Amino acid sequence: AHDRRGHGRSAQVGHGHDMDHYAADAAAVVAHLGLRDVVHVGHCAGGGEVARYVAGHGAGRVAKAVLVGAVPPLMVRTESTPAGLPVEVFDGFREGVATDRSQFYLDLASGPFHGFNRPGADVSQGVIQNWWRQGMAGSAQAHHEGIRAFSQTDFTDDLRAIDVPTLLLHGDDDQLVPVAGSAELAATLAEDAALKVYPGLSHGMCAVSADTVNADLLDFIRS
């Protein structure tokens, strides 16, 4: 898997922290490797990246797409997306990244991201520390600007342009990307989409419920 521009092992450049560049970067990697019949899987903002890549760059190369806890069609609340989240939520994210990013990431991983703030949750300090490690490896600028990219980019037309089998996986206790304003709407826009909602699972279900998610991913890839 590639690391998104400004994140992880990617170069921490000072520009291009938007979905158009993210998708173009993915296209450059795919073209460089000469890949075809690819199944693209994206989680959260990565789901938006997959949608934009498949719609704009994937012709003849993409076999299937999977959006996991993903942000499409549009996260922020507007007149046309009343189920979205108020922009003040994302302003709070930006403030957290700008003022004390380390503590913000620790609090996010320890709480709503993985559902560890729920009564009776099986809290894993290893999962928390690993998520924090990955977050702190990225560029603060990329993270700050990326909040706008994942929250205020409208993927409606991208979803409508996707013509390959698409699987949407989402937890119904996703506290960061509520399912009603995301996957449930996205499933009605993509031409050949199937939606699976997991009762009680969190935004971080790929980590804390990996066996469940991986089994469905493999079934879809092999089908």
Side-chain angles (χ1 to χ4, degrees), residues 41-181:
V41 182
H43 173 259
C44 190
E49 185 177 324
V50 166
R52 182 136 299 183
Y53 167 79
V54 173
H57 303 273
R61 291 187 179 273
V62 179
K64 299 177 182 179
V66 186
L67 309 184
V68 185
V71 299
L74 176 61
M75 277 201 77
V76 73
R77 182 180 298 165
T78 66
E79 289 185 5
S80 59
T81 55
L85 297 174
V87 70
E88 289 79 10
V89 171
F90 307 108
D91 290 340
F93 288 176
R94 280 183 277 264
E95 182 180 3
V97 169
T99 55
D100 190 347
R101 185 171 65 133
S102 180
Q103 188 63 51
F104 174 67
Y105 286 169
L106 186 61
D107 292 343
L108 199 62
S110 301
F113 192 97
H114 298 103
F116 290 156
N117 57 337
R118 296 306 197 199
D122 184 12
V123 178
S124 168
Q125 291 300 320
V127 166
I128 293 168
Q129 292 173 28
N130 190 46
W131 196 95
W132 178 89
R133 176 192 62 80
Q134 293 176 73
M136 293 305 294
S139 155
Q141 178 191 353
H143 293 172
H144 193 275
E145 295 180 11
I147 293 166
R148 179 180 180 86
F150 75 68
S151 66
Q152 294 178 245
T153 301
D154 190 339
F155 298 98
T156 301
D157 289 342
D158 300 292
L159 292 167
R160 288 174 174 157
I162 296 174
D163 59 359
V164 297
T166 303
L167 177 64
L168 296 101
L169 304 176
H170 219 102
D172 76 352
D173 193 33
D174 190 323
Q175 299 172 65
L176 298 187
V177 185
V179 65

